[in-house]
Amino acid sequence: TRDHTQFLNGLILRKTFSWTSVFSELEHILPPSVRVTAIRPEVDAENHLSVRMSVESDSRSAALEFVRRIEETREFRDPQLLNERHGSAAEGGATAVNVNQSQNPNAVTYEVSAEYVPATTKPGGGAR
C-alpha cells in the first residue's frame, strides 16, 4: 500500500509541473546573453519536484547572474550549480527538451538544478 501511495503521489506531483509556467518565469529572469538548452523535470525519492536545466552563455558572469536571479523567484527554490563545461552544449547527452543549441566553441554550459514549487492560485483564479 505504501509503494502504491508513493507511486500515486509521484504521478500527482508530475501533473503539477507546468511547462507554460516554467517558460513564463524563465522569460522574466533569463539574462539576455543566457540561453536555456535543456530542461528536465525530475521527482526524487521524497516526492519533491525539481527542474534540471542546461544553460549556455558566452560568459561565466552571465550564467552566474541567471543563478542569482533564479534564487529570487517563488517557483524555484535552492538552486544549485551542478557542473560547468566549456565549449559547445551540443557535446552533452540526451535530454528531455532540447532547443536550438549554439555551436559556439567559446560557450560556457552550466547544469543548474532547483526544486520547483508551482505558484499557488489565489482566490479569483489568478496565480500568485
Side-chain angles (χ1 to χ4, degrees):
T1 302
R2 185 178 64 108
D3 291 341
H4 185 67
T5 301
Q6 286 178 335
F7 173 74
L8 291 175
N9 285 339
L11 288 177
I12 292 168
L13 189 58
R14 284 182 185 94
K15 284 290 273 181
T16 64
F17 183 80
S18 168
W19 288 98
T20 304
S21 295
V22 169
F23 284 120
S24 177
E25 187 64 31
L26 289 174
E27 182 179 12
H28 291 99
I29 66 169
L30 204 61
S33 62
V34 177
R35 296 162 298 281
V36 176
T37 58
I39 298 176
R40 290 180 301 280
E42 300 172 338
V43 178
D44 66 13
E46 289 84 33
N47 281 333
H48 293 125
L49 183 59
S50 65
V51 177
R52 192 173 199 150
M53 293 175 271
S54 293
V55 295
E56 181 181 272
S57 178
D58 295 333
S59 72
R60 187 172 200 269
S61 61
L64 294 176
E65 174 67 15
F66 170 68
V67 173
R68 186 193 65 72
R69 288 182 182 187
I70 205 170
E71 288 176 331
E72 298 173 354
T73 67
R74 293 181 194 171
E75 287 81 9
F76 299 104
R77 302 225 175 110
D78 192 27
Q80 299 175 15
L81 192 58
L82 302 176
N83 63 50
E84 174 180 339
R85 288 190 314 265
H86 294 269
S88 175
E91 298 168 5
T95 54
V97 174
N98 283 325
V99 293
N100 294 330
Q101 295 179 344
S102 164
Q103 298 300 317
N104 181 355
N106 298 319
V108 181
T109 304
Y110 293 91
E111 285 284 322
V112 178
S113 179
E115 183 178 351
Y116 177 69
V117 181
T120 57
T121 303
K122 288 184 178 179
R128 294 184 196 193

